[in-house]
Amino acid sequence: MSDEPESTLRMSDVQRTAVRELLRIAPVIDELGARFEKAGEQIALVGGPVRDAMLGRLQNDLDFTTSARPEVTEKLLKGWADAIWDMGRAFGTIGCRKGPWQVEITTFRSDTYDASSRKPEVQYGDSLAGDLHRRDFTVNAMAVTLPGRDFEDPFGGLVDLANQVLRTPGTPEDSFSDDPLRMMRAARFSAQLGFTVDPAVKAAMTDMAARIEIVSPERVRDELVKLVTAPWPRRGLELLVDTGLADHVIPELPALALERDEHHRHKDVYEHTLTVLEQAIELEHRLGGGPDFVSRFAALMHDVGKPRTRKFQDDGSVTFHHHDVVGAKITRKRMKALRFSNEQIAAVSELVELHLRFHGYGSGEWTDSAVRRYVRDAGDQLERLHILTRADCTTRNRRKADRLRRTYDDLEERIARLAEEEELASIRPDLDGNQIMEILGIGPGREVGRAYKHLMELRMDRGPMSQEEATAALLEWWSSQG
Ligand code: ATP
Ligand code: MG
């Protein structure tokens, strides 16, 4: 995961991969091309799928751009697509599904943005060239026109793709003035693709970072989520911090770069945090899914309470008392500002708040009830808490790291053992003592205890029984007792 991407791709490899990928989707794109051509409209595969075809990472999402207005597009899709929906007519996008393919078709755009408004103002354009020009990066401004499958690359996207660099089609200043979100997108694509940004792009991001403030929090959040769940989040995060964008979007992160105290007693918390994030990613397989935003974001936020709780002691040492609780509070506030769901906010802040709890475990001194409380407090987040706590060890001291790992193994074993025992302990026979006495017509005594034990054995052997089955089994046992 933290492996660096290769820094260049061979052009011939890129072309070979692209041809292979395009042939794979040929039936879909050729059929669409023919339909639109017959109606006198232009259509082209554009943006992400063209880029991804060349990188050999084409998924099932196919984006197209067309001269057709949305009403016309909708008409042309009828009878061909399996399902059609409106993605937001205001933006000129119609969505449809064809077999496994998710298709989005957007009318040519040449949008202008009002520098003070939060939303782009959509204006339809009249040419593919104009549509490509307003796209964010040259690698996203390539198209394959249909049905002829001609490759359009007016801004040298293919060369940039081979060099793995993000450049804007026009000047980055103009581009970022039009839509400041593109600065976030630069960081996001560098995290997703492992690309670097052109120095001019980085300079413009640095100069214009404050402009991100006019963009809606929801749009910023969506890019941040894509960045954090990408294969190389460190790249994107470092770019946000280096350019000053992070000061506006997630200021808690650059604030972690605490100057060392005069005794160099503690590590740079910022660098520690990025390492914890990468270590959490390496343990993510335990969750059994793909990239996990909650786990990664908790790693990123786990120490955000440190700057505010730092205290220098008289002996020169430094403490961060209650940085877990303070950090959880800061995390909630930031996630709220970024309009995360209540569920996500609760999960991440819970993890931040619990990330230190294990440090009271010592070398296994917790009582069973302390272990139970740990499990109960973590609730649904237990597996993620295991990941975070294990990832939160970045000491270079091998012996110390091994000891911590073994101690956490021990805690996990105790959790498993307790869970098993308590499941067993909660098993009861299907009839209680009173029912046994009533059914057998006897009073309290040894017989009741023996009957209870017998029913318990049956319960263990057979699993739960109905009242009737249990009654019959009890009577059968009773008669066998003479
Ligand atoms: P993914 O779908 O994986 O997020 P993508 O590259 O398809 O990646 P989208 O956000 O879906 O990116 O956008 C589709 C295309 O639209 C991009 O490739 C880019 O050409 C263009 N685009 C999207 N947002 C912007 C923007 N804010 N400014 C300029 N162009 C944009
Ligand atoms: Mg897309």
Side-chain angles (χ1 to χ4, degrees):
M1 200 50 45
S2 48
D3 307 357
E4 284 296 298
E6 299 264 338
S7 62
T8 54
L9 299 167
R10 287 230 313 281
M11 192 73 104
S12 55
D13 290 342
V14 171
Q15 282 161 336
R16 243 197 310 279
T17 313
V19 169
R20 194 179 57 234
E21 294 279 273
L22 287 176
L23 284 176
R24 190 158 71 79
I25 60 172
V28 185
I29 61 177
D30 290 352
E31 280 171 34
L32 260 183
R35 279 181 102 88
F36 277 69
E37 187 186 44
K38 222 165 101 195
E41 301 286 0
Q42 302 167 53
I43 187 166
L45 185 71
V46 73
V50 178
R51 177 199 69 215
D52 290 343
M54 293 172 171
L55 294 171
R57 65 198 281 282
L58 184 61
Q59 306 286 315
N60 284 358
D61 293 333
L62 300 180
D63 298 335
F64 296 86
T65 182
T66 181
S67 58
R69 294 298 151 102
E71 319 73 80
V72 178
T73 296
E74 213 167 3
K75 227 177 281 162
L76 290 172
L77 291 177
K78 276 197 185 124
W80 177 79
D82 301 329
I84 302 174
W85 56 90
D86 199 329
M87 301 282 299
R89 194 172 296 255
F91 293 91
T93 305
I94 301 293
C96 76
R97 187 177 60 76
K98 174 75 174 172
W101 308 103
Q102 295 288 332
V103 174
E104 276 180 29
I105 305 182
T106 306
T107 306
F108 289 157
R109 282 162 61 161
S110 62
D111 32 29
T112 55
Y113 291 75
D114 172 349
S116 63
S117 91
R118 287 162 173 246
K119 288 226 174 73
E121 234 170 76
V122 177
Q123 245 159 49
Y124 292 141
D126 49 19
S127 70
L128 176 63
D131 184 89
L132 293 179
H133 183 75
R134 66 103 199 154
R135 287 182 183 263
D136 50 4
F137 302 104
T138 61
V139 296
N140 289 339
M142 300 184 280
V144 176
T145 58
L146 302 169
R149 293 195 216 155
D150 286 322
F151 178 55
E152 297 288 335
D153 179 20
F155 308 107
L158 185 56
V159 174
D160 289 340
L161 188 120
N163 291 326
Q164 305 198 306
V165 54
L166 295 167
R167 276 194 317 117
T168 48
T171 71
E173 288 78 12
D174 286 346
S175 176
F176 299 161
S177 296
D178 276 350
D179 182 4
L181 185 73
R182 291 170 186 164
M183 298 188 285
M184 285 296 296
R185 289 173 63 85
R188 184 258 277 206
F189 284 118
S190 101
Q192 276 185 331
L193 306 172
F195 286 17
T196 56
V197 294
D198 184 63
V201 167
K202 188 165 178 180
M205 286 168 76
T206 308
D207 289 344
M208 301 172 68
R211 305 269 194 109
I212 196 69
E213 301 275 0
I214 66 158
V215 177
S216 75
E218 290 83 357
R219 293 181 79 208
V220 170
R221 174 203 59 205
D222 288 349
E223 291 301 329
L224 188 64
V225 169
K226 287 179 180 176
L227 186 162
V228 168
T229 49
W232 296 285
R234 176 190 278 266
R235 288 191 158 228
L237 293 167
E238 285 179 343
L239 191 56
L240 292 183
V241 171
D242 292 351
T243 56
L245 263 168
D247 293 332
H248 303 277
V249 170
I250 179 164
E252 294 77 15
L253 198 57
L256 292 175
L258 298 170
E259 70 288 4
R260 287 157 190 258
D261 62 289
E262 61 272 36
H263 300 279
H264 296 260
R265 289 286 181 103
H266 62 95
K267 289 172 290 197
D268 183 337
V269 185
Y270 171 65
E271 186 49 43
H272 162 76
T273 294
L274 292 178
T275 306
V276 173
L277 170 62
E278 288 174 331
Q279 296 188 160
I281 291 172
E282 271 162 36
L283 295 170
E284 211 166 45
H285 58 87
R286 295 184 50 152
L287 298 169
D292 185 76
F293 176 75
V294 168
S295 172
R296 293 185 184 197
F297 204 59
L300 209 51
M301 300 299 278
H302 79 282
D303 272 349
V304 295
K306 276 193 170 175
R308 212 177 283 176
T309 54
R310 182 166 64 156
K311 290 248 160 33
F312 292 105
Q313 306 300 107
D314 289 341
D315 65 357
S317 66
V318 62
T319 63
F320 303 96
H321 286 312
H322 305 302
H323 79 266
D324 43 355
V325 182
V326 173
K329 216 172 186 171
I330 295 173
T331 299
R332 263 193 294 275
K333 202 166 157 206
R334 176 55 48 206
M335 292 184 80
K336 233 179 177 150
L338 286 167
R339 309 280 195 277
F340 279 97
S341 70
N342 291 337
E343 210 181 358
Q344 281 175 309
I345 296 174
V348 176
S349 56
E350 187 72 43
L351 287 163
V352 172
E353 187 157 348
L354 288 173
H355 85 272
L356 281 183
R357 176 81 74 88
F358 168 69
H359 291 271
Y361 189 72
S363 47
E365 280 87 10
W366 278 3
T367 58
D368 282 354
S369 90
V371 174
R372 276 190 213 100
R373 266 200 298 278
Y374 188 70
V375 171
R376 184 202 58 200
D377 291 348
D380 290 348
Q381 303 307 319
L382 183 62
E383 196 62 40
R384 290 192 180 108
L385 184 59
H386 292 334
I387 291 174
L388 177 59
T389 309
R390 286 178 180 277
D392 188 16
C393 167
T394 58
T395 174
R396 270 182 238 263
N397 181 334
R398 267 226 166 278
R399 280 185 44 221
K400 205 169 150 195
D402 284 344
R403 193 167 60 237
L404 262 164
R405 188 167 347 97
R406 274 197 309 272
T407 314
Y408 207 88
D409 288 344
D410 179 62
L411 172 59
E412 282 197 54
E413 275 161 32
R414 280 185 68 189
I415 289 173
R417 202 164 53 234
L418 273 178
E420 206 170 287
E421 282 168 11
E422 283 167 18
E423 191 144 300
L424 287 178
S426 70
I427 291 179
R428 302 259 179 283
D430 299 285
L431 299 172
D432 64 22
N434 287 329
Q435 289 170 307
I436 291 170
M437 290 190 282
E438 202 183 309
I439 292 165
L440 300 183
I442 58 174
R446 276 189 59 236
E447 295 303 313
V448 181
R450 286 181 55 233
Y452 188 88
K453 230 174 131 190
H454 174 69
L455 284 172
M456 183 67 173
E457 289 302 315
L458 284 181
R459 169 69 183 74
M460 291 290 203
D461 289 348
R462 301 197 203 164
M465 288 182 279
S466 69
Q467 291 275 308
E468 291 76 34
E469 287 170 325
T471 304
L474 173 64
L475 290 170
E476 190 187 322
W477 171 81
W478 185 241
S479 64
S480 78
Q481 300 301 300

